[in-house]
Amino acid sequence: RKEVEQDPGPFNVPEGATVAFNCTYSNSASQSFFWYRQDCRKEPKLLMSVYSSGNEDGRFTAQLNRASQYISLLIRDSKLSDSATYLCVVISMDSNYQLIWGAGTKLIIKP
Amino acid sequence: EPEVTQTPSHQVTQMGQEVILRCVPISNHLYFYWYRQILGQKVEFLVSFYNNEISEKSEIFDDQFSVERPDGSNFTLKIRSTKLEDSAMYFCASSEAEQFNSPLHFGNGTRLTVT
């Protein structure tokens, strides 16, 4: 089983809709979780950290479910500019605190 | 906002040649990293660097690769005797503290094409 798994998509979503996707991780000792956004052929950019209590930043909400070992990202009122690949990143002590990257979920927002 | 800068943005080299990819991390950051991403594939960790020495490296980071911080600002990745499969985007990143405590800031990347 891969350490970090994501549905590659693409998710084709109309502008203004709400979209959510998950990321599962295999290592129960994972400690830190992040969502990065990557535009085509550009560098990954931190979107948000994921806290145990869940966190919200504008239209974006991230949640952590430790029991089921997944994190989620919810995007409300999606914009055309949200089109990107969303990368899940997990850090655990077992991996010497290296970032373990998911392969990403591609999101396409259509007008 | 301070940025990580990388040069060149695109490097084309012939197989067997040596290349040096350059990075200027954010000035108050202490931890430095190189990642690569082969087109269409996931981001892969190469190496982390702290206190003027390698702290972690992946299986990818073999004897062909080396890193150096030659002065107080630059952080370089050298690839000796490049192979076709080294063609990828190479991202430099830096962070204030260890990566589980502090987010990574990435540079724009250098696209390396080995022909």
Side-chain angles (χ1 to χ4, degrees), chain B residues 32-96:
Chain B
F32 315 114
Y33 314 85
W34 281 102
Y35 288 82
R36 79 172 186 192
Q37 187 176 33
I38 295 169
L39 187 63
Q41 297 187 25
K42 61 167 63 177
V43 177
E44 298 175 296
F45 170 75
L46 292 178
V47 65
S48 59
F49 192 87
Y50 170 70
N51 200 26
N52 283 320
E53 60 183 24
I54 290 174
S55 45
E56 295 291 339
K57 60 182 181 178
S58 71
E59 290 176 354
I60 302 168
F61 194 88
D62 59 21
D63 293 341
Q64 182 196 9
F65 295 88
S66 62
V67 289
E68 197 177 33
R69 189 158 160 81
D71 53 43
S73 60
N74 290 287
F75 178 51
T76 61
L77 175 69
K78 182 189 290 186
I79 310 175
R80 287 180 281 275
S81 190
T82 49
K83 304 190 283 276
L84 294 176
E85 54 264 38
D86 294 328
S87 296
M89 280 291 286
Y90 287 81
F91 294 109
C92 172
S94 68
S95 61
E96 284 183 317

Side-chain angles (χ1 to χ4, degrees), chain A residues 58-69:
Chain A
R59 298 181 293 108
F60 297 84
T61 301
Q63 302 244 311
L64 167 63
N65 186 317
R66 282 197 184 275
S68 300
Q69 294 185 198

Side-chain angles (χ1 to χ4, degrees), chain A residues 85-96:
Chain A
T85 296
Y86 290 83
L87 304 168
C88 168
V89 178
V90 173
I91 297 177
S92 71
M93 191 171 60
D94 294 0
S95 64
N96 290 318

Side-chain angles (χ1 to χ4, degrees), chain A residues 40-95:
Chain A
C40 189
R41 299 188 179 222
K42 298 288 181 66
E43 76 278 19
K45 291 187 178 176
L46 180 65
L47 182 64
M48 56 200 307
S49 303
V50 186
Y51 304 123
S52 297
S53 54
N55 48 305
E56 190 173 308
D57 182 3
R59 298 181 293 108
F60 297 84
T61 301
Q63 302 244 311
L64 167 63
N65 186 317
R66 282 197 184 275
S68 300
Q69 294 185 198
Y70 72 87
I71 64 171
S72 63
L73 180 67
L74 178 86
I75 306 174
R76 284 180 297 277
D77 187 24
S78 52
K79 315 278 184 207
L80 295 177
S81 56
D82 293 333
S83 297
T85 296
Y86 290 83
L87 304 168
C88 168
V89 178
V90 173
I91 297 177
S92 71
M93 191 171 60
D94 294 0
S95 64

